[in-house]
Amino acid sequence: MKIIDGHCDVLYKMYENSALSFYDPRTTGLDVTYERMLKSGVKVQFFAIYLPERITQPHFDHYLEYIRIFYQKIVQDERFIVIRTQADLDRVMNGDRLGAVLTLEGADALHGNLLHTQMLYYLGVRAIGITWNYANWAADGVLEPRQGGFTKRGKSFIKDCNELGILLDVSHLSVRAFWDLAAASTKPFVASHSNARAVCNHPRNLDDDQLREIIMRGGRIGLTFVPWFVQSGGMVKSEALLRHIEHICGLGGSHCITLGSDFDGIDKWLVGLEHAGQYGAFAELLSKHYKNELVEGILCGNWYRFLQSQLPLH
């Protein structure tokens, strides 16, 4: 089966360590590599721009450095197609090459500058998570103590992204900011890497009202492999993800469940799902428990149908 993964932090690791190679099979230190994508049938990988917390004064050049790494070290040859449009997506899904979607996790360095947002769009960014865990000029993150919502500039940013065709990602937003975005956005949105809070009570997971809102709007919910978002305490096996799948399905969201691994953004892994080369075993696990239609939707189809409806046509 083909697989689409909606979130990884390969670019962050390559930003921190320029010696890492996405293509050299001898490379250690990356969860997602070209060889592992091929082995598992990962057809499309989302690559996030995430600035580490040590950058206390982020500016637009930081984003440009990540974008340089993306174009020079990931998609520099004929093995990848950068997915900007529906036409690009179909070329990937119907051809032999792999696809890459460029995303932004944390809009801190945009500072409400529409020109910068437009430039990211022209450079290929197709989804933006507005915050990381804390507050910025646009909104509060999920761990910000005051738990505020969107600022005035932040609400304008929602409108700008809707008009440009940039997908909005609510993973990491505070609960109030989630509902501010839901009220302001005219487009469906995604939680690229969040699980169900009713199953695992972590603040980065979504409560049932949030899950229902995404489902009602036709958005997407990306199951994430962060062990402490899957199960509290102990050694966590990949089987524990099934409880999240069943809970979201129980809310009517079978058509909204996708994958958002967070590979290369974690230093502990689910047992049996430690890197992108192990998706085959996970697909087998899903096939033992669910019908083919649901399995295909989770692994690929649900992301594909969403992107096909939300990306620019050409």
Side-chain angles (χ1 to χ4, degrees), residues 178-241:
F178 174 100
W179 290 109
D180 280 353
L181 187 147
S185 180
T186 59
K187 302 284 185 69
F189 48 84
V190 306
S192 65
H193 55 305
S194 298
N195 293 335
R197 191 176 295 185
V199 176
C200 180
N201 188 23
H202 190 283
R204 271 278 288 103
N205 288 337
L206 300 173
D207 64 37
D208 284 0
D209 287 341
Q210 292 173 306
L211 292 171
R212 289 191 189 98
E213 182 71 15
I214 295 173
I215 293 165
M216 183 271 293
R217 298 175 71 114
R220 293 296 184 263
I221 302 153
L223 297 172
T224 188
F225 305 162
V226 182
W228 50 97
F229 295 0
V230 177
Q231 179 181 300
S232 300
M235 182 178 66
V236 187
K237 297 181 179 180
S238 58
E239 287 87 343
L241 281 168

